[in-house]
Amino acid sequence: MTRERSLIKQIRHSAAWSRNRAVIQGIGDDCAILRLKPGFELLVTTDLCLEDVHFRRAWHPAAAVGHRCLTRGLSDIAAMGGEPLACFLSLGLPEDLPQSWINGFQRGLLALAERFTVQLAGGDISSARQITADIVVAGQVPTGKAVLRSGARPGDGIYVTGSLGGSASTLRQLFAGKKLKPGKSNPHFYPTPRLEVGKWLRKHRLATAMLDISDGLSVDLAHICGESGVAAIVSSNKIPIGKSAGLELALHGGEDYELLFTSRKQARVPARIGGIQITEIGEIRNPTDYSSAIQIMGDNGKVRRLPQRGWEHFARQR
Amino acid sequence: MTRERSLIKQIRHSAAWSRNRAVIQGIGDDCAILRLKPGFELLVTTDLCLEDVHFRRAWHPAAAVGHRCLTRGLSDIAAMGGEPLACFLSLGLPEDLPQSWINGFQRGLLALAERFTVQLAGGDISSARQITADIVVAGQVPTGKAVLRSGARPGDGIYVTGSLGGSASTLRQLFAGKKLKPGKSNPHFYPTPRLEVGKWLRKHRLATAMLDISDGLSVDLAHICGESGVAAIVSSNKIPIGKSAGLELALHGGEDYELLFTSRKQARVPARIGGIQITEIGEIRNPTDYSSAIQIMGDNGKVRRLPQRGWEHFARQR
């Protein structure tokens, strides 16, 4: 227990430099206490990150693992149009894990937390057989204004932020044994949660449905179609393809953490929001008119069914 | 992923029978949405439960593991005087774990959730090397009324609910190789979070400081003393000792999930609250008057230092 206790002390100390006014009581009591603004609702999301499932120690520097871990939670808050307030971290650590790894992980996570004024307000620590990090993010959104997956209607345009497949392309290179420098600008190692875009879209009532692309475009678009009870068609030549990715990875590669949203036909969606490129890639259709939920129109104008071949955790790909 | 997806479907389905009105959006979107009552603050607590650290498959039935897991979170809400609303479960599952184990775990967890009207509102699932369950509980408490660890003052009486050491006594028997029937009334297998008592104490403004005894009385009383900046003395002959436990386990055994609280000298604390026995075991002292923070008066009237020998996760006791 000595190690856990001293770690909790260390984390409590470092968490002090990422403060959020909503946090009334942070680490140090049975529960954290948060005060939402009047007229706001609470958002909660949890994401589990496991060694050799979501990352590999040999490929991912500890700081990138911490960054990616928090990004997953922040990206879910972005996808509701919300504002993050606090995060909670449960850590399972192998006995022989070097302290330097823990320090790096914490540094990567807290740097991102500070950037978006998210306070590390609690958590738990235990020994474990593999590195285990469960991240919980709490946020707020004006009452009744959260953007759900279920609001898409036939005729709505389908949009994405940024470009797709870049993260999967890096992962493919890692699998091929390529040595990569895990630079801060590489979206696989240091993805950016699209919090400003999500909030802007919600404020301007432009998004009818929204989620973040974590599993891959084909799977995540199916989530919107499933929850909204609609079908969709996308055009292959409109998909914004990430650096060295290609269409297949842009359609099926995961972990880009870009936003996928729909907007009414007559809505004016800007080409850029907060410096981030916005691309219309297709249209929501009436489900009864089509034999399959999601179709793709190729460069030759031919329409085919888009299979849902999303992101499988890479432990399974070996 | 097929197994994870079908599990999420199954859990989403079963979660439907533990509803809480505060949950506006449960499982099925990027975040859960909760609406607190006006004039209330949010409470959040997270607890990590790992196979061979917090439980053993050979000793603990799956339903008891699920029950214990949620109890840890609910007990933290009780210790603030709060009311639980929703829980979030992140599960790491070994590939060869039988479906029957998962069903049992879920049944144990959801039965307790239903009893206290706590909705399972989200979570995550992944494969893992050992069974991993991270439970998050969200609750509410009237603004500014949460009972913290830091409110104890010299002269306050020290109280505990129920009896202590019962859980550790069962654990000791398990270590000794004894075959035990994991009955519903055994507080080791099916501990009861003291939610009614915690809420009653907060409503009647009787508790100046409070926490739940998860590590053991000696360690948890030190937490109150540390956060409140006070010292304490307890009387060995006043400690309510659990079934077949003895004083040592009552002082240092963990996982009883009873409440430990302090109350002003002149306060009238009932002998029972909601049917649960309340026992005064000692007094908060001025820290400058004593060489060590916590002392114990023996049956012979002699006072000695009470060492903090709390609950070490049993993986370390082998």
Side-chain angles (χ1 to χ4, degrees), chain A residues 47 49 54 67-76 78-79 161-165 167 187-188 190-195 211-216 220 253-260 311:
Chain A
D47 288 284
C49 300
H54 300 88
H67 178 106
R68 283 159 49 100
C69 183
L70 182 56
T71 293
R72 288 179 65 192
L74 294 180
S75 183
D76 285 326
T161 61
S163 62
L164 303 178
S167 177
H188 178 73
Y190 293 94
T192 305
R194 300 296 186 203
L195 284 158
L211 51 57
D212 67 316
I213 302 176
S214 52
D215 291 336
D220 286 317
E255 298 201 318
D256 282 316
Y257 301 109
E258 297 294 349
L259 295 177
L260 172 67
W311 173 240

Side-chain angles (χ1 to χ4, degrees), chain B residues 112-142:
Chain B
L112 186 64
E114 198 193 11
R115 182 170 155 199
F116 290 106
T117 328
V118 174
Q119 184 165 337
L120 178 59
D124 199 4
I125 294 180
S126 169
S127 62
R129 279 183 217 146
Q130 75 202 111
I131 302 172
T132 305
D134 191 39
I135 189 88
V136 175
V137 181
Q140 64 185 4
V141 69

Side-chain angles (χ1 to χ4, degrees), chain A residues 208-223:
Chain A
T208 52
M210 183 153 62
L211 51 57
D212 67 316
I213 302 176
S214 52
D215 291 336
L217 177 63
S218 62
V219 167
D220 286 317
L221 182 52
H223 287 146

Side-chain angles (χ1 to χ4, degrees), chain A residues 188-244:
Chain A
H188 178 73
F189 295 106
Y190 293 94
T192 305
R194 300 296 186 203
L195 284 158
E196 293 93 347
V197 179
K199 196 173 169 182
W200 195 95
L201 287 167
R202 188 260 301 155
K203 269 190 164 174
H204 291 82
R205 298 170 185 236
L206 275 176
T208 52
M210 183 153 62
L211 51 57
D212 67 316
I213 302 176
S214 52
D215 291 336
L217 177 63
S218 62
V219 167
D220 286 317
L221 182 52
H223 287 146
I224 284 191
C225 288
E227 297 293 329
S228 297
V230 295
I233 185 164
V234 296
S235 299
S236 65
N237 63 6
K238 291 186 180 171
I239 312 276
I241 297 173
K243 206 176 150 188
S244 67

